[in-house]
Amino acid sequence: MKPKDNDRKKKKKRDHGDPQAVVQDLLKEFPNIGCDLKQLLQLINGGKAVDITGISQKSLIKPLRALFLCLNLKELDHGSFVLPSHVPPTLEVIGSMIAPCLDDVDHPPPPDRRPIGPEMPTPELLAAAAKLREAEAELREAELEEKDDGVFIGPSPRVVAAEVESANQGDRLEEVTRIMEAEDDNLYDVLGANHNVSADNIKKRYWKLSLSVHPDKCSHPQASQAFVKLNKAFKELQDPQKRRALDEKIELKEKQERFNVELRAMREAAMWRKMQGIYKEGDKKLLAGDVSVVKSA
């Protein structure tokens, strides 16, 4: 077993490289990034998602990505990296390589020249962010005031809040991605629930998701849109008439799918009998596209 384990480790190093060698080359090329790199790795070790696509020094993006892959970090679809639960903390692997570099730096770069710091946002971006904050504030006020038709359900239970609070940032990011990829009219997909679940379970599911993807708790750039989409889907499902209509639509679709499967199987059987020279009543109609045979069978 041990030789195989060693082979796997060697293969892994061949695929992504040796992290100590990569960080040594990185610090040699960019000697002033030691402090910023350590802070970046501390954020990752703390469960945060770090996006390297927005750093000010663009030439750093490629070597940083190579380093993160060497450290077996998980790369998300929008350019962020998170620490998987089975991977050791990054500073345990390369912390000893960064510490001497920090001691050698007598004069760290001024704050406005931090190489791994984010780019200064444009006035347009700042204005858009201000509008987004206003929209989020209005949404929170609407949630608190929304008591008509029994839609208001109050704060989530402490047990649910405590469970979500300990959730990994990567899980939160994946939930946002899943919600945004779901069709707007498929309310159950937005909530990630089956249409046969009870109203209480839907409520529990909503509580958990709303805390997971809330923009104050999740760093995903589309967290606000996902939060709004989730609230809208939950509100629609709280209306008994709308939910009944949606359930009937889903059941009709499932019934049609089962009918199509049965029809395809019967046509294949009829075609096989024809090739064998066997005749059965209704086969001609089946092969001609007459579905009445299936309904009467």
Side-chain angles (χ1 to χ4, degrees):
M1 291 297 293
K2 289 184 178 179
K4 291 183 179 178
D5 292 340
N6 292 333
D7 290 343
R8 290 194 198 101
K9 289 180 181 178
K10 289 178 181 178
K11 184 178 185 301
K12 202 168 196 179
K13 286 189 175 182
R14 284 199 300 269
D15 291 342
H16 298 303
D18 181 9
Q20 293 188 352
V22 173
V23 76
Q24 187 176 13
D25 293 340
L26 180 64
L27 293 173
K28 185 176 180 181
E29 185 176 357
F30 304 96
N32 291 327
I33 68 168
C35 293
D36 289 340
L37 180 59
K38 183 178 179 181
Q39 292 178 7
L40 210 62
L41 297 177
Q42 286 174 337
L43 288 174
I44 293 175
N45 289 349
K48 301 292 185 182
V50 171
D51 183 1
I52 62 173
T53 59
I55 61 176
S56 56
Q57 194 165 334
K58 299 302 182 184
S59 58
L60 263 170
I61 295 177
K62 187 175 180 180
L64 273 178
R65 181 176 181 274
L67 174 62
F68 288 173
L69 291 176
C70 287
L71 292 168
N72 295 320
L73 301 183
K74 182 178 180 182
E75 185 174 9
L76 304 175
D77 55 357
H78 52 83
S80 296
F81 286 85
V82 294
L83 180 71
S85 57
H86 63 279
V87 173
T90 57
L91 289 174
E92 289 185 7
V93 181
I94 59 171
S96 60
M97 304 289 296
I98 301 175
C101 179
L102 296 178
D103 296 335
D104 293 340
V105 178
D106 296 328
H107 303 288
D112 59 340
R113 296 291 300 278
R114 294 180 62 186
I116 306 186
E119 292 181 306
M120 180 61 70
T122 63
E124 294 80 7
L125 185 59
L126 291 173
K131 289 182 179 179
L132 180 59
R133 285 194 295 270
E134 291 176 4
E136 290 173 354
E138 291 175 0
L139 178 60
R140 284 193 287 270
E141 291 175 3
E143 290 171 357
L144 294 175
E145 295 173 357
E146 191 173 9
K147 300 182 181 180
D148 59 314
D149 299 329
V151 174
F152 180 74
I153 61 172
S156 59
R158 291 183 178 179
V159 177
V160 177
E163 180 186 350
V164 176
E165 189 66 28
S166 62
N168 187 283
Q169 188 67 211
D171 295 335
R172 297 175 186 267
L173 297 172
E174 288 178 0
E175 285 292 0
V176 171
T177 301
R178 183 192 61 77
I179 291 172
M180 296 307 297
E181 288 177 352
E183 297 291 337
D184 290 346
D185 58 349
N186 198 330
L187 308 180
Y188 291 108
D189 278 1
V190 174
L191 277 128
N194 187 281
H195 74 95
N196 293 317
V197 299
S198 65
D200 286 341
N201 284 333
I202 285 181
K203 187 182 295 185
K204 291 176 184 177
R205 179 67 178 163
Y206 165 76
W207 270 328
K208 186 174 181 179
L209 281 176
S210 63
L211 291 172
S212 295
V213 305
H214 195 285
D216 289 346
K217 300 290 185 180
C218 181
S219 60
H220 196 293
Q222 291 184 302
S224 295
Q225 295 96 311
F227 186 70
V228 172
K229 186 174 180 178
L230 176 68
N231 276 272
K232 184 179 178 182
F234 175 73
K235 183 178 178 181
E236 293 285 319
L237 289 175
Q238 287 294 101
D239 187 317
Q241 292 183 348
K242 290 182 179 179
R243 183 178 179 184
R244 192 179 306 113
L246 178 60
D247 288 348
E248 290 176 355
K249 182 180 178 181
I250 293 174
E251 289 168 2
L252 181 62
K253 182 180 179 182
E254 291 177 347
K255 184 179 180 181
Q256 183 63 45
E257 289 174 352
R258 289 194 298 270
F259 174 81
N260 291 337
V261 170
E262 183 181 359
L263 177 61
R264 183 165 57 251
M266 292 182 70
R267 281 178 174 166
E268 289 175 356
M271 179 61 71
W272 180 86
R273 286 192 293 270
K274 181 179 179 181
M275 293 173 65
Q276 300 298 320
I278 303 172
Y279 172 77
K280 182 180 177 181
E281 185 178 356
D283 281 359
K284 288 184 178 181
K285 289 184 177 181
L286 263 176
L287 296 175
D290 189 345
V291 297
S292 62
V293 180
V294 182
K295 295 179 180 179
S296 61

